[in-house]
């Protein structure tokens, strides 16, 4: 059944060749108990390992069932070991971290037998060796004899045709040795048992055939066999009837084996995972910070850009260019060595610049360009609002105004003797809200009423009162709303407070300036209606014909908003602006002035060129505006990138235009923010660098840990190989283990980072009030666990390769 033909085995260590076997020819019966005797070092183990397919011979041939094995591949040997061979070692070679039962099951586990079947057969084998009460014990809890019996049970589990025992009683006392020999003898009743032993007495009593080796050669055989009498009926077929198994382990089996292995070393696994998770924690924290930070930066950008939009004014002077020309740092040679002094042409440059820096933008054409449907769609994501500013003129009165008793509320009408009045008139109180309700909502929280919406017609005559974060309003705003008197404004006393409903109850009247210019004597010359007793009824009439405003909302900037879009305290919608313009343009004084652009409608005289009063100044005084010709255009970009795209859009608009038709503006935001952008980019780069370093560190560490695990489990690799595990199975076991560790460390890292974010936020907020910065994005959880698994897998690839390539014979010898 097994035949060795002139088997030679040389071991090459450095330049030394050890001839362990020098030409052994032997033929074994399918059923006998062979004892191999010989001095230590004569080649017994080598021969056994060659027969068992653990080691390869240097020359000669090993025939299995009369078939040569010269063409055997690694997988054939694996299958041969798994199916036909059972190994029993002197040092038992049990895997200590799994139970007795699991040790015995191992060969079945590798060949992918179902758990139930495995358990049944392993229990049977253990009962056969008399260990039915030790199934759940760990090997180290057993005596030496019991451990050897477990090893025998393991060798028998696949019902192999050949059991190879290498000094099975070498470490046992006489009494235990006899018990083991009895078991082996019983096993040998229906198969081939080849036992290496030092003990000629035991051999004599139990073996049916004794072969003596000396110095790599057979020197004696008391029961030789020539192979003639054996039938061709092969025991392999007998053994495998009804079951076609291949020595191959599914990845799931590898996973469960690794899972059990890790389970038996819980504290070590937890420590390893924790060590591996440190990198992930670092990355997760940095990710939380950087994503929170970039969200914050994004919000700052949006907020900032809503305060500092791209502003294109009708008349522009590029002051920045002017300032630059004055600074003029450019020169020929820096720190020259010669002794010549030259002139820096600052004045001449300034004069030239001044000549060319003034420019009138054609905002009418540009507005029609901006209002194109396609352009709005194309840049929809790039701007949050486009605001057209007009030089509208209006006044604010209380709705309960009585010409004889009250004065107007805004602009202030403060008696000249009160000095502060001059400065108060500079205060900007009314401001147009942006046509972007969601931007307003993101910046302001609603305290009462409802957000104003330009889409809602009813909101046109509503204003929003904007408090500060302490629910305060400037006193001059309270004054402008008729809530406090001028006396109280100048000499405050006591507590001043109002309820929201006080504010919501406010009603105002808003006449346009042009309404106050009337042609009472109908001579074609208009005069301003002053607040004099004679004019009280007329005044009242004008007010009755004015816009009635009410308070529609009380807003307050949200916490952690770095900049808000409104300067004033009272906001109105652009629809009101349009109505004011329309109303102005229908006033008789405006109609008359526009009909006679050369005549000053307030004096009846012709406009004189270069005089201080021109058609332009008069139009401005009357509040005349053309809705198609704004005074300024404010474009509110959504981000710095969006701003760049919008500026590119303007550049494109300018491309085929003549110099006069070009749109020019100064990008103050760019000037303000360029240094901030540099800082943001630097921080982002540093964070990314940190992330990469942590990634590298954590993967190196996991590689090292896996390598240590390989070293630790070398013996186990040998055992697995001896019972038929393929190289691939070994690397699978380690890959499964690294994947599991990657999963644990990933999950642990993400979990710990999520917990750590809490104190991190507390600390950050201790220094700067920016809200919750560190937040782990949900997608990062999955990505980080995947990265952790991928990296541990990658880091474990080399160690697992090393493991699978380990020579099983050497692996078995390691302690
Ligand atoms: P035995 O089992 O009879 O004690 P071995 O078969 O273990 O003898 O060894 C036979 C000879 O081969 C010895 O000289 C031993 O030193 C040598 N040998 C065994 N294994 C190796 C190996 N892996 N590398 C080099 N030499 C080896």
């Amino acid at each position: 059944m097994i035949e060795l033909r002139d088997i030679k085995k040389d071991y090459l260590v450095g330049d030394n060749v050890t001839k362990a076997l020098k030409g052994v020819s032997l033929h074994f019966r399918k059923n006998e108990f062979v004892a191999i005797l010989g001095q230590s070092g004569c080649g017994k183990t080598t021969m056994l390992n060659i027969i068992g397919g653990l080691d390869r011979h240097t020359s000669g041939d090993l025939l299995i069932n009369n078939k040569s094995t010269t063409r055997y591949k690694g997988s054939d040997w694996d299958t041969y070991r798994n199916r036909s061979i059972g190994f029993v070692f002197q040092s038992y070679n049990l895997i200590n971290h799994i139970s007795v039962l699991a040790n015995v099951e191992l060969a079945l586990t590798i060949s992918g037998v179902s758990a139930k079947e495995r358990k049944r057969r392993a229990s049977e084998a253990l009962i056969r060796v008399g260990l039915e009460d030790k199934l759940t014990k760990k090997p180290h809890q057993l005596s030496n004899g019991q451990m050897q019996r477990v090893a025998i049970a393991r060798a028998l589990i696949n019902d192999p045709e050949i059991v190879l025992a290498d000094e099975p009683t070498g470490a046992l006392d006489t009494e235990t040795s006899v018990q083991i020999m009895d078991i082996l003898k019983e096993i040998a009743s229906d198969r081939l048992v080849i036992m290496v032993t030092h003990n000629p007495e035991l051999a004599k009593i139990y073996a049916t055939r004794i072969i003596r080796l000396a110095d790599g050669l057979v020197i004696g055989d008391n029961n030789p066999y020539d192979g003639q009498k054996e039938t061709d009926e092969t025991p392999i077929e007998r053994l495998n009837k009804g079951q076609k198994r291949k020595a191959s382990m599914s990845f799931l089996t590898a996973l469960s084996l690794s899972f059990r292995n890790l389970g038996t070393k819980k504290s070590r696994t937890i420590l390893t995972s924790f060590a591996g998770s440190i990198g992930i924690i670092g990355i997760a924290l940095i990710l939380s910070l950087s994503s929170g930070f970039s969200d914050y930066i994004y919000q700052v950008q949006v907020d900032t850009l809503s305060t500092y939009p791209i502003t294109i004014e009708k008349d522009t002077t590029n002051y920045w260019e002017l300032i630059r020309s004055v600074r003029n740092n450019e020169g020929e040679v820096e720190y020259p060595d010669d002794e010549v002094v030259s002139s820096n042409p600052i004045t001449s440059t300034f004069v030239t610049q001044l000549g060319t820096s003034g420019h009138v933008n054609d905002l009418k054409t540009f507005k029609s360009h901006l209002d194109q449907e396609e352009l709005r769609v194309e840049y929809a994501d790039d701007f949050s609002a486009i605001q057209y500013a007009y030089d509208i003129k209006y006044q604010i009165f209380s709705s309960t105004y009585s010409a004889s008793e009250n004065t107007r509320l805004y602009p202030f009408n403060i008696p000249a003797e009160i000095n502060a009045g001059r400065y108060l008139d500079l205060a900007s109180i009314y401001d147009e809200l942006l046509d972007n309700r969601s931007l307003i909502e993101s910046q302001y929280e609603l305290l009462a009423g409802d957000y104003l919406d330009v889409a809602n017609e009813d909101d046109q005559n509503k204003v929003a009162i904007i408090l500060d974060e302490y629910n305060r309003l400037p006193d001059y705003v309270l004054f402008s709303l008729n809530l406090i008197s001028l006396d109280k404004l100048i000499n405050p006393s006591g507590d001043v407070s109002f309820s929201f409903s006080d504010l919501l109850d406010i009603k105002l009247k808003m006449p346009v300036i042009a309404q106050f210019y009337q042609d009472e004597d109908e001579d074609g010359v208009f005069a301003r209606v002053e607040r004099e007793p004679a004019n009280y009824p007329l005044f009242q009439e004008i007010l009755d014909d004015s816009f009635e405003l009410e308070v529609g909302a009380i807003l307050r900037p949200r916490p952690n908003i770095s900049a808000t879009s409104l300067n004033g305290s009272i906001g109105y919608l652009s629809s009101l602006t349009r109505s004011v313009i329309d109303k102005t343009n229908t006033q008789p004084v405006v109609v008359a002035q526009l009909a006679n652009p050369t005549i000053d409608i307030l004096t009846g005289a012709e406009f004189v060129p270069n005089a201080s009063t021109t058609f332009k100044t008069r139009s401005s005084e009357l509040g005349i505006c053309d809705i198609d010709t704004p005074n300024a255009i404010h474009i509110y970009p959504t981000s710095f990138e969006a701003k760049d795209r919008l500026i590119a859009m303007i550049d494109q608009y300018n491309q085929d235009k003549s110099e006069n038709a070009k749109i020019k503006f100064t990008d103050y935001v760019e000037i303000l923010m360029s240094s901030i952008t540099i800082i943001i980019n630097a921080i982002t780069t540093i964070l990314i660098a940190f992330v990469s370093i942590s990634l590298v560190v954590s993967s190196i560490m996991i590689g090292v840990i896996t390598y240590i695990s390989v070293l630790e489990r070398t013996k186990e690799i040998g055992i697995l190989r001896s019972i038929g595990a393929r190289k691939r199975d070994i690397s699978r076991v380690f890959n499964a283990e690294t994947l599991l560790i990657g999963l644990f460390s990933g999950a642990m890292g993400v979990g710990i980072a999520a917990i750590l974010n809490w104190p991190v936020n507390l600390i950050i907020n201790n220094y700067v009030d920016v809200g919750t910065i560190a937040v782990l994005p949900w997608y990062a959880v999955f990505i980080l666990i995947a990265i952790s698994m991928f990296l541990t897998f990658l880091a474990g690839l080399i160690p697992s390769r090393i493991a699978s390539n380990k020579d099983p014979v050497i692996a078995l010898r390691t302690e």
Side-chain angles (χ1 to χ4, degrees), residues 112-159:
V113 176
S114 75
K116 209 174 141 193
E117 170 86 356
R118 278 201 313 255
K119 211 170 184 114
R120 183 183 66 76
R121 282 168 60 181
S123 316
E124 264 176 32
L126 281 164
I127 290 165
R128 194 165 167 191
V129 297
L131 287 178
E132 55 271 27
D133 53 345
K134 300 278 189 277
L135 303 189
T136 55
K137 290 265 183 317
K138 293 278 169 64
H140 62 83
Q141 294 169 307
L142 304 180
S143 73
N144 287 346
Q146 287 168 331
M147 281 200 267
Q148 194 56 294
R149 282 195 251 169
V150 175
I152 292 171
R154 179 182 60 190
L156 291 178
I157 186 73
N158 257 345
D159 202 5

Side-chain angles (χ1 to χ4, degrees), residues 9-13 16-21 36-49 55 166-167 196 198 213 215-216 807 809-810 813:
K9 174 72 183 177
D10 299 337
Y11 284 113
L12 224 101
V13 179
N16 285 339
V17 179
T18 306
K19 291 183 182 301
L21 295 175
I36 314 263
L37 289 175
Q39 295 291 313
S40 173
C42 70
K44 304 184 294 291
T45 304
T46 305
M47 189 173 93
L48 215 60
N49 286 342
D55 212 349
D166 194 352
E167 299 197 29
V196 164
H198 264 110
L213 282 191
D215 201 14
D807 184 332
V809 179
I810 293 169
R813 277 201 195 149

Side-chain angles (χ1 to χ4, degrees), residues 279 282-283 286-287 290 685-696:
I283 299 161
I286 288 165
L287 248 171
S290 72
T685 314
I686 290 168
L687 290 181
I688 288 169
F690 269 120
V691 170
S692 326
I693 291 170
S694 342
L695 278 176
V696 170

